[in-house]
Amino acid sequence: MQPEIAIDRAGRWHLAWLDTRRSASDTSAQGLVDAWYARSDDGGLTWRSMRLTEQPLDSTRTNWSPFAANFVLQFVGDYIGLDVSEHAAYVAYPAAVGADVAMLVSRIDFDAAATSPGEIRDPRALNGVWFEPATSGQ
């Protein structure tokens, strides 16, 4: 769902996307949504990937409608972003945090000393949540 791709100055390819593989079927009316990140160091020939979310976001928790209270739809949306710098990739995505639906940002460092060959350093300890109640919806 809604993939984002970027190529950094070192030629590494980065991909972020929302995934429903934990759901019983892609045709289900509801889905369990996880955020994923992958990187290719050889121009897309091979990829290493990891799930960024601890728990999936149940899409039924995103029911809302801008039109009317009786016209409610699930809307995980296209809320995913990917940016890269010389040292890290940054992925923004919707996620379940306890009882809340929130936006998280993960930083995936490229520090060679921090990763073993074939692995991507697990960024989940670096996640953060920000929400300003005075500007709900932004």
Side-chain angles (χ1 to χ4, degrees):
M1 295 171 52
Q2 301 293 337
E4 292 282 328
I5 192 163
I7 301 173
D8 66 28
R9 289 184 182 176
R12 293 175 291 232
W13 292 22
H14 307 270
L15 181 64
W17 71 98
L18 300 176
D19 187 285
T20 59
R21 71 180 72 180
R22 290 198 210 198
S23 300
S25 167
D26 280 341
T27 60
S28 296
Q30 69 184 54
L32 300 175
V33 181
D34 284 297
W36 282 77
Y37 167 80
R39 185 176 81 212
S40 173
D41 296 335
D42 58 12
L45 295 175
T46 60
W47 293 85
R48 295 183 310 271
S49 63
M50 68 175 302
R51 182 173 41 86
L52 298 175
T53 45
E54 291 288 336
Q55 68 183 43
L57 171 61
D58 183 341
S59 66
T60 59
R61 296 182 58 206
T62 66
N63 288 342
W64 76 283
S65 174
F67 305 111
N70 61 351
F71 185 70
V72 177
L73 302 170
Q74 295 176 34
F75 190 72
V76 175
D78 51 0
Y79 305 114
I80 187 160
L82 170 65
D83 202 0
V84 294
S85 71
E86 183 178 338
H87 305 288
Y90 303 85
V91 183
Y93 50 90
V97 178
D100 298 317
V101 176
M103 286 297 293
L104 298 184
V105 175
S106 290
R107 174 185 166 135
I108 299 98
D109 289 312
F110 304 150
D111 181 3
T115 58
S116 302
E119 290 182 341
I120 300 171
R121 181 177 172 203
D122 188 345
R124 285 179 279 199
L126 302 174
N127 286 348
V129 178
W130 180 85
F131 172 71
E132 174 57 55
T135 57
S136 179
Q138 292 187 12

